Amino acid sequence: MSLVQYNHSLQPLSHVDWTPTRAAGLARLEAFLPQAGPAYARTRNTDLGPQDRSNVSALSPWLARRILTEEEVGRRVLQVHGFVKAEKFIQEVYWRSYWKGWLELRPQVLTRFNSDRLALKRLEADDADLAHRLAQARAGQTGIACFDAWVEELTTLGWLHNHARMWFASIWIFTLQLPWQLGADFFFKHLMDADVASNTLSWRWVAGLHTKGKHYVARASNIEAHTQGRFNPVGQLNETALPLAEPFLETGPGQLPLAEMCLERRVGLLLTADDLHPHSINIPAKVVGAAVLGSAIIGPNDGPKNCFLRRAEQDACARMQADFDVDTQVRASVEDLVAWATSLNVREIVTPYAPVGPTGWQLADVQAALTSHGIRLVRLRRAWDSKTWPLATGGFFKLKEKLPKLVAEQAGR
Ligand SMILES: Cc1cc2nc3c(=O)[nH]c(=O)nc-3n(C[C@H](O)[C@H](O)[C@H](O)COP(=O)(O)OP(=O)(O)OC[C@H]3O[C@@H](n4cnc5c(N)ncnc54)[C@H](O)[C@@H]3O)c2cc1C
């Protein structure tokens, strides 16, 4: 792995350069490494504010798009600290894989979320009181200073500290008594690291729907302590709320689809916004053409999230062009993509496996269109995902127990 040297004199660790390139992600990783051991475990829960992100990695936008992979971030941290000292950080990286696996094994949870979300949007159009309360919350005009500040941070910067996300979701659900599905929708539209699994399931966890009956209640004293006194919403929060409940849904884990294999010697390579690092995918064929499928615009077109995505896609094109020596462009529509694929004169297009969510649905359309032109879409699942996702059959703690073994196996590969 070639690592970009991080110049500490130019940028202190407190400042995050959110440039959506692999080079900027690697630079942030290198800068954060000394902090990823015991210091992370001790300090990570404090939200120091947008001017100081020195106690957390802030790598989530790069990880969510797989501009950096979980595997390389984990490996680098383990090289520096070893498992015992870096356990907390490594656990957090595995939370991301746990959520992904959990949802992949239970896509019906996302189906219900989406139909509820759309029904609530229709209700919002008809219910003036709900519409007014939602508008106030989304505009950061609730009068709860911390919440209003986080709305501003979310919509202008596109990122929030983990603890702020937990407090935000809890206040949205239990104090403002707004539907959690529309809170998750608001986050998804603005976060640079927007990820269907981490976002939807974390909102469910806060609401008390993931671990039945266990919800997360934001308390003024906790906010004051972990924002170092920047906020203290004493008397403004509902601190006695009960967890939400929902109609029964069978969530017994299903099976992952079987991993697909590439059969041809010449293939086209298609990347998506879910996975923008082709070099760590094992492609057993010659890549004769490459493209990035332009991601669906969800959220404000010129907001931080969509600007990050578009520039990340361009960065991936430039990397593929240089490394595979093939002309690479972002293909904005299925028609454009099919025209590119047919021009390559190949029988297979390989793409990293995209889990359930907007990219997975886009790929289903691409697959149908390619099939009608006699081209097979081969979704290659990463070894990391094949190994971790099936472990999300129960709570995270079941996976956590297996971490030392998993980490040792992954280090040995
Ligand atoms: C309501 C809510 C919504 C969220 N929505 C998203 C989302 O859309 N996308 C997203 O990537 N994360 C989401 N998270 C998880 C978490 O808040 C972010 O991953 C984390 O804040 C990113 O900051 P960091 O990169 O500094 O993390 P660090 O603390 O430095 O951790 C390193 C990496 O581990 C992963 N990670 C850390 N904590 C979690 C977690 N609790 N769940 C899953 N992965 C984690 C991230 O990839 C992160 O970059 C959400 C959490 C909540 C409570």
Side-chain angles (χ1 to χ4, degrees), residues 150-259:
W150 294 324
V151 170
E152 166 85 8
E153 201 178 329
L154 174 68
T155 54
T156 58
L157 182 63
W159 195 86
L160 287 176
H161 184 278
N162 180 58
H163 220 158
R165 296 183 201 212
M166 289 160 61
W167 295 318
F168 185 115
S170 180
I171 294 171
W172 176 285
I173 298 167
F174 300 119
T175 297
L176 303 176
Q177 305 204 341
L178 293 168
W180 72 267
Q181 295 91 336
L182 296 186
D185 177 74
F186 186 54
F187 263 27
F188 197 79
K189 285 184 169 141
H190 292 280
L191 283 171
M192 286 186 287
D193 60 31
D195 175 281
V196 171
S198 288
N199 186 50
T200 314
L201 299 178
S202 295
W203 275 85
R204 287 178 60 79
W205 177 83
V206 171
L209 299 170
H210 183 73
T211 312
K212 297 274 173 280
K214 261 187 97 176
H215 59 326
Y216 178 77
V217 179
R219 299 187 193 285
S221 56
N222 183 259
I223 294 175
E224 188 196 14
H226 289 285
T227 58
Q228 297 195 316
R230 284 184 301 124
F231 301 112
N232 185 7
V234 67
Q236 289 191 292
L237 308 185
N238 177 0
E239 300 192 8
T240 56
L242 295 174
L244 299 189
E246 66 179 355
F248 177 76
L249 182 67
E250 176 56 59
T251 57
Q255 298 278 325
L256 287 185
L258 289 177

Side-chain angles (χ1 to χ4, degrees), residues 26-228:
L26 284 172
R28 176 70 191 173
L29 169 61
E30 286 303 297
F32 184 70
L33 280 177
Q35 190 69 23
Y40 174 82
R42 222 177 32 248
T43 65
R44 70 189 183 99
N45 274 331
T46 297
D47 180 355
L48 299 166
Q51 306 310 323
D52 188 353
R53 292 304 175 205
S54 55
N55 61 338
V56 287
S57 74
L59 286 173
S60 53
W62 290 274
L63 281 165
R65 311 273 78 87
R66 273 197 168 149
I67 301 167
L68 302 185
T69 65
E70 297 88 336
E71 190 162 6
E72 70 181 324
V73 169
R75 183 176 298 140
R76 199 68 190 102
V77 169
L78 289 167
Q79 275 168 0
V80 173
H81 295 284
F83 181 66
V84 172
K85 288 190 177 158
E87 185 173 2
K88 195 72 217 169
F89 184 84
I90 299 293
Q91 267 173 23
E92 295 306 312
V93 174
Y94 274 94
W95 261 109
R96 171 177 161 68
S97 302
Y98 166 75
W99 286 136
K100 281 221 165 303
W102 198 94
L103 197 60
E104 199 63 15
L105 297 174
R106 302 160 182 88
Q108 67 274 30
V109 173
L110 188 61
T111 308
R112 174 183 278 180
F113 163 71
N114 269 322
S115 68
D116 287 354
R117 187 177 58 87
L118 294 174
L120 285 159
K121 292 244 173 196
R122 288 192 294 274
L123 182 65
E124 181 184 353
D126 290 342
D127 180 334
D129 174 60
L130 176 64
H132 175 67
R133 292 188 301 114
L134 281 164
Q136 277 188 321
R138 291 179 186 133
Q141 292 170 353
T142 64
I144 303 172
C146 54
F147 185 90
D148 294 348
W150 294 324
V151 170
E152 166 85 8
E153 201 178 329
L154 174 68
T155 54
T156 58
L157 182 63
W159 195 86
L160 287 176
H161 184 278
N162 180 58
H163 220 158
R165 296 183 201 212
M166 289 160 61
W167 295 318
F168 185 115
S170 180
I171 294 171
W172 176 285
I173 298 167
F174 300 119
T175 297
L176 303 176
Q177 305 204 341
L178 293 168
W180 72 267
Q181 295 91 336
L182 296 186
D185 177 74
F186 186 54
F187 263 27
F188 197 79
K189 285 184 169 141
H190 292 280
L191 283 171
M192 286 186 287
D193 60 31
D195 175 281
V196 171
S198 288
N199 186 50
T200 314
L201 299 178
S202 295
W203 275 85
R204 287 178 60 79
W205 177 83
V206 171
L209 299 170
H210 183 73
T211 312
K212 297 274 173 280
K214 261 187 97 176
H215 59 326
Y216 178 77
V217 179
R219 299 187 193 285
S221 56
N222 183 259
I223 294 175
E224 188 196 14
H226 289 285
T227 58
Q228 297 195 316

